[in-house]
Amino acid sequence: MTKINTRLNRRSFLKVSALAGGGMILSFNWLAGCKPKSAEVLGLPKEWVRLNGYIKIGENGLVTLMSPNPEGGQNVKTSMPMIVAEELDADWTKVLVEQAPLDTDNFTRQFIGGSQAIRMGWTALRTAGATARQLLIHAAAQTWNVPANEISTEPGFLIHKDSGKRAHFGEMASLAGTLPVPEEVKLKEISDFKIIGKSHKNVEAKNIVTGKPMFGIDYTKPGTLIAMIVHPPAHGMRLKSFEDSKVRNMPGIQDIFQVKSHQDDYERTFFDTASFTDVVAIVGNSTWEVMNAKKALRVEWEPFPTYEEKRDWNGRKESRTIPGGLESTEGHLQKMAEATKKAKTVRKDGNPEAAFQSAAKVIERTYNGPFLAHNCMEPMNFFAHVLGDKVDCAGPLQKPELTEKALSSRLGIPVENIQIEMTRLGGGYGRRSYAHWLIEAAVISQKVNAPVKLIYSREDDMTGGIYRPSYQATYRAALDKDNNLVGFHINAGGMVESPLYPNRFPAGAVENYWVEEWTVPSNITVGSFRAPRSNFIAAAEQSFLDEVAEMAGKDPIEFRLELLKKAKENPVGKDNEYDADRYAGVLELVKSKSNWGTAIPGLSRGVSAYFCHNSYAAQVLDLKIENGQVLVEKVYSALDCGLLINPDAAKNLCEGSVVDGIGTAMFGELKFNQGVPDKSNYDRYRMIRMVEAPKAIETNFVQSQVDPTGLGEPGYPPVFAALANALYKATGKRFYSQPFINQMNT
């Protein structure tokens, strides 16, 4: 067993107290994302004591685990409590899970982002469960007057074998809550796991399929008014004036006024991005009445001048220039082409200039990716009630702790007086990290002195900014006379940010390696999008490597494996992010499972592999084209995310990544004309349809005892290139620009 010292945790994070009605509460702020499974075996205890951040054990043996992190479909609300329950040795059928509100006193990292919940919580969650189990054992030892080392546990029970005594956890919980926290605890060996590594159903599955109110859009309280906002029709514009005299007399309308979500001198932090901080709010009795008033409102807008935006990036202060003007896609492409000439070097190994000059063959290709909208199925919404110096909020968001601080600054109300209840997210993957709509809802509530639910229409959201950036990357490769890769050059950037990760593969595998990057300022706001930056650069890199392999006359998988062997045996540079063995492992696994190298009549195959969010993924995609339509027959996925917590949930995440990635690669695109997005709803913004999803997805995991890593995002980036490479085999055309449907039609 692994021993964990709890000294730091006891001082900083642990709090044990007895329940008034019997039982034990173990409170800890390492449970940053702990999540659960439903138990319907026992009735509720006589009394639950509600605290923020705890393991709760009732006198009847029922265990409740609070879930601090938001749940957005990644299923951590099941997987993370499984970790706690494992070390607690709880009976999984007698575990309840509840969503905790935002509570920065008892939790840290209460957010969705970076596929880090399991990875960051692994040791802490195990320690929490093991500590509670040890306290129960000591309570039983004291009660039975026997040595603690003679007591064992089985799910939900304490056992003294020699005397035959046996008690469920609830019988010892009250005493356990009075005992001192042990100096150190022993964690289980992986071979002894009973819960982890076995599939368990989503704890919210029944509520989801029966339509129970779980999402922010469902949330309401008596007396709640409905609010909607009107923002500029184009990026680069701001509010000038509005005429509301006729609208005020429309049925159900309570008020119309200007709202500033951020003051002009506000220093924004990492997730304080908002396209339009000056909007018009319409408040009324019902959604329909407010929507009708919104259509009738007359608003005048004007272009805004270039200005400076103050930012605090986790302590790093900067001032960013936001250019004035109404931007268009054509102009974006021109600016990016110009920016490539002014790129700065971020990594350089060997002498790439000489390698290219003496190369026997050189290949150069440029790849483009458009702006993308997130298009969450649940529109942006939030409930807020500001009553004096108290604020109650509820709704879907990914970074509640960070948003709470921005809300406190805007309202002038202390953080400790703000309560945020987190509902289930109806989609997120970055969009709900930037919860300016929560601030808008609170400002509106403060103005009308009533509870308010703010709802964005689909058009409000899709045209409101915070998109996946538009990117461009130019790749060059140099081969010697023996078709060995001797030089590699990347010049990449984007509107506002660069997609580059300079220390990822093939860094370390090429002796002469050169990476340059650049950015172009824009007033079109951008933000996190599933697997940020990787979602583009993986597609470009893996498409290019396929073409380089072809030029070298090598099998695309063997070509990658050859490079990874070099990276392992004789790595270039010292800062390479990836593990060459694990990277090669997923390629070998997908090669085996897909029977790579055996031609399948009527099908075209493509392969891709990528490392991001501490995990490794490789995919082989089989497709055919019938009557001009791309039909994906099967996708083979191989992933290494360390130890699997909940195999079914892991498989679901990977399958969703594949479907989402194929849809985005084929159809995702947002263009601009004079600042106006060319799409505002699903009638024009093309999403993948059921008939276009793969007929089969086979997901395989590397069997590993390495500590678990991320999985919500790693399976998403490589499928873009697997699709592009398969399309090349089917059509004879290489695909350099997303969405691929545009090139299919030319």
Side-chain angles (χ1 to χ4, degrees):
M1 290 186 175
T2 302
K3 291 185 178 181
I4 295 292
N5 190 297
T6 65
R7 188 177 305 276
L8 176 62
N9 295 333
R10 291 184 308 113
R11 292 173 180 168
S12 304
F13 305 122
L14 236 90
K15 182 168 52 178
V16 182
S17 58
L19 296 181
M24 177 184 73
I25 293 173
L26 179 62
S27 177
F28 45 90
N29 75 358
W30 348 294
L31 199 56
C34 166
K35 315 283 172 165
K37 185 202 185 279
S38 62
E40 300 177 356
V41 178
L42 300 176
L44 291 176
K46 294 177 183 178
E47 182 178 3
W48 284 124
V49 175
R50 299 282 180 181
L51 297 178
N52 296 315
Y54 51 85
I55 294 173
K56 184 166 63 176
I57 301 178
E59 82 285 342
N60 63 350
L62 191 66
V63 174
T64 294
L65 303 176
M66 295 302 291
S67 171
N69 281 23
E71 172 62 62
Q74 74 276 44
N75 206 30
V76 291
K77 198 171 182 178
T78 302
S79 298
M80 296 193 79
M82 286 173 60
I83 300 172
V84 180
E86 179 66 73
E87 293 289 351
L88 178 61
D89 212 4
D91 181 345
W92 188 246
T93 67
K94 296 182 178 67
V95 172
L96 290 173
V97 176
E98 297 178 6
Q99 178 68 59
L102 176 64
D103 182 1
T104 55
D105 290 334
N106 286 297
F107 299 112
T108 58
R109 205 181 184 277
Q110 270 188 284
F111 64 80
I112 298 174
S115 299
Q116 295 297 303
I118 296 292
R119 175 176 176 263
M120 297 291 286
W122 173 242
T123 299
L125 293 168
R126 294 182 69 189
T127 304
T131 301
R133 177 176 174 271
Q134 192 67 21
L135 288 168
L136 291 166
I137 286 174
H138 282 293
Q142 185 173 318
T143 300
W144 296 334
N145 195 27
V146 298
N149 61 9
E150 292 183 5
I151 295 176
S152 61
T153 60
E154 63 181 40
F157 285 88
L158 297 144
I159 299 164
H160 186 246
K161 187 176 181 180
D162 291 346
S163 66
K165 291 181 179 179
R166 177 184 177 94
H168 64 65
F169 286 174
E171 295 175 75
M172 298 295 168
S174 184
L175 176 58
T178 67
L179 299 178
V181 175
E183 290 288 335
E184 64 180 21
V185 294
K186 293 181 179 179
L187 303 181
K188 288 184 178 182
E189 298 292 343
I190 291 174
S191 59
D192 295 328
F193 285 170
K194 302 168 187 174
I195 296 173
I196 292 173
K198 295 179 173 61
S199 293
H200 293 279
K201 298 300 181 185
N202 188 320
V203 297
E204 293 191 312
K206 184 176 179 180
N207 290 336
I208 293 170
V209 300
T210 56
K212 293 292 190 295
M214 307 165 58
F215 299 92
I217 203 75
D218 302 317
Y219 194 94
T220 190
K221 284 187 175 181
T224 298
L225 298 175
I226 299 298
M228 299 189 81
I229 59 100
V230 183
H231 67 61
H235 295 265
M237 302 196 82
R238 65 184 180 187
L239 176 65
K240 183 177 181 181
S241 64
F242 61 94
E243 168 53 49
D244 62 2
S245 57
K246 293 182 180 179
V247 179
R248 285 185 176 277
N249 296 322
M250 293 180 69
I253 299 306
Q254 298 290 326
D255 205 350
I256 302 169
F257 49 88
Q258 180 180 349
V259 169
K260 287 184 74 69
S261 57
H262 295 306
Q263 301 293 2
D264 293 338
D265 61 348
Y266 175 63
E267 183 179 65
R268 302 192 192 197
T269 57
F270 198 93
F271 291 102
D272 282 336
T273 300
S275 298
F276 309 112
T277 58
D278 238 343
V279 297
V280 180
I282 305 173
V283 185
N285 297 331
S286 71
T287 306
W288 180 248
E289 289 169 326
V290 173
M291 288 177 71
N292 284 334
K294 182 178 176 180
K295 293 175 184 176
L297 186 68
R298 296 291 173 259
V299 185
E300 187 176 357
W301 314 97
E302 64 181 1
F304 63 66
T306 297
Y307 67 93
E308 296 296 311
E309 180 182 275
K310 292 183 291 183
R311 282 276 184 176
D312 183 343
W313 301 99
N314 295 324
R316 178 171 57 87
K317 308 281 187 177
E318 74 171 38
S319 181
R320 173 181 290 182
T321 299
I322 308 300
L326 304 178
E327 302 178 11
S328 298
T329 297
E330 183 177 344
H332 290 161
L333 295 174
Q334 292 174 353
K335 288 180 179 179
M336 288 196 288
E338 294 167 2
T340 63
K341 304 169 186 176
K342 303 175 183 177
K344 65 177 181 179
T345 296
V346 291
R347 175 165 173 163
K348 196 171 189 180
D349 299 328
N351 190 341
E353 293 94 341
F356 277 96
Q357 189 173 8
S358 62
K361 300 176 185 176
V362 173
I363 181 173
E364 178 176 325
R365 298 290 184 265
T366 297
Y367 300 83
N368 290 96
F371 285 102
L372 297 172
H374 292 81
N375 295 336
C376 305
M377 287 303 296
E378 178 192 21
M380 302 302 109
N381 67 88
F382 228 87
F383 169 88
H385 188 192
V386 180
L387 196 58
D389 65 346
K390 304 285 186 183
V391 185
D392 285 324
C393 300
L397 75 168
Q398 293 180 228
K399 309 291 189 294
E401 180 179 349
L402 301 179
T403 305
E404 181 185 56
K405 295 174 183 177
L407 181 60
S408 172
S409 174
R410 177 61 183 85
L411 297 179
I413 293 175
V415 167
E416 55 267 25
N417 290 356
I418 298 174
Q419 179 78 6
I420 297 180
E421 182 178 341
M422 292 177 286
T423 63
R424 188 179 180 89
L425 282 69
Y429 282 112
R431 180 63 183 98
R432 298 189 199 272
S433 295
Y434 311 89
H436 50 85
W437 58 91
L438 184 163
I439 298 173
E440 291 166 353
V443 172
I444 293 169
S445 172
Q446 190 177 51
K447 171 74 173 178
V448 300
N449 195 29
V452 164
K453 181 157 78 172
L454 174 67
I455 301 174
Y456 274 34
S457 68
R458 180 69 58 199
E459 291 80 3
D460 292 334
D461 183 31
M462 200 177 293
T463 63
I466 312 185
Y467 305 115
R468 196 287 295 268
S470 178
Y471 294 122
Q472 179 177 299
T474 297
Y475 282 78
R476 290 194 301 149
L479 301 180
D480 65 14
K481 60 182 178 58
D482 297 319
N483 286 322
N484 296 309
L485 181 61
V486 294
F488 204 84
H489 178 211
I490 314 169
N491 179 304
M495 302 299 295
V496 182
E497 73 170 22
S498 163
L500 276 174
Y501 291 93
N503 299 320
R504 291 186 181 173
F505 182 76
V510 185
E511 184 175 350
N512 303 291
Y513 180 77
W514 185 15
V515 184
E516 298 178 287
E517 71 176 1
W518 45 268
T519 59
V520 175
S522 172
N523 58 41
I524 296 172
T525 53
V526 300
S528 299
F529 190 98
R530 190 175 195 174
R533 299 188 285 163
S534 295
N535 55 50
F536 168 77
I537 205 68
E541 169 202 294
Q542 291 292 308
S543 296
F544 183 66
L545 286 177
D546 223 59
E547 199 164 350
V548 176
E550 182 180 53
M551 187 174 72
K554 299 177 181 180
D555 174 86
I557 290 183
E558 294 304 321
F559 176 67
R560 290 168 171 83
L561 291 173
E562 178 184 301
L563 291 174
L564 288 164
K565 183 180 180 182
K566 291 180 181 178
K568 176 187 177 182
E569 296 178 352
N570 189 24
V572 179
K574 298 179 180 180
D575 299 320
N576 306 317
E577 293 183 19
Y578 60 94
D579 182 311
D581 270 338
R582 294 181 71 184
Y583 208 135
V586 292
L587 275 165
E588 294 281 13
L589 182 58
V590 82
K591 176 184 176 182
S592 171
K593 294 297 184 180
S594 67
N595 199 20
W596 181 265
T598 301
I600 304 174
L603 293 182
S604 300
R605 317 193 89 179
V607 66
S608 178
Y610 195 67
F611 160 78
C612 68
H613 298 86
N614 311 103
S615 295
Y616 302 80
Q619 289 152 346
V620 168
L621 184 147
D622 295 340
L623 62 76
K624 60 183 178 181
I625 299 177
E626 289 185 355
N627 300 318
Q629 183 174 357
V630 177
L631 302 176
V632 179
E633 293 294 305
K634 189 169 184 176
V635 178
Y636 299 85
S637 292
L639 297 105
D640 183 351
C641 59
L643 181 72
L644 281 182
I645 306 300
N646 188 351
D648 268 0
K651 181 181 176 182
N652 291 341
L653 272 175
C654 296
E655 290 176 344
S657 296
V658 166
V659 175
D660 192 11
I662 291 172
T664 304
M666 281 297 297
F667 309 114
E669 180 183 39
L670 199 64
K671 292 183 177 181
F672 294 85
N673 183 18
Q674 293 295 297
V676 180
D678 70 337
K679 303 173 185 71
S680 61
N681 209 321
Y682 292 134
D683 59 331
R684 296 196 63 199
Y685 199 107
R686 183 79 156 78
M687 306 291 287
I688 192 170
R689 296 166 184 164
M690 292 182 71
V691 70
E692 294 159 340
K695 292 183 179 179
I697 301 174
E698 180 183 309
T699 305
N700 303 279
F701 294 97
V702 172
Q703 298 304 304
S704 173
Q705 294 191 355
V706 174
D707 286 356
T709 51
L711 201 54
E713 291 159 290
Y716 180 71
V719 77
F720 287 66
L723 175 62
N725 295 333
L727 285 171
Y728 166 67
K729 295 293 186 181
T731 65
K733 296 189 295 185
R734 290 287 181 182
F735 287 73
Y736 300 111
S737 296
Q738 301 168 21
F740 299 154
I741 190 68
N742 290 348
Q743 194 170 333
M744 289 291 297
N745 295 332
T746 58

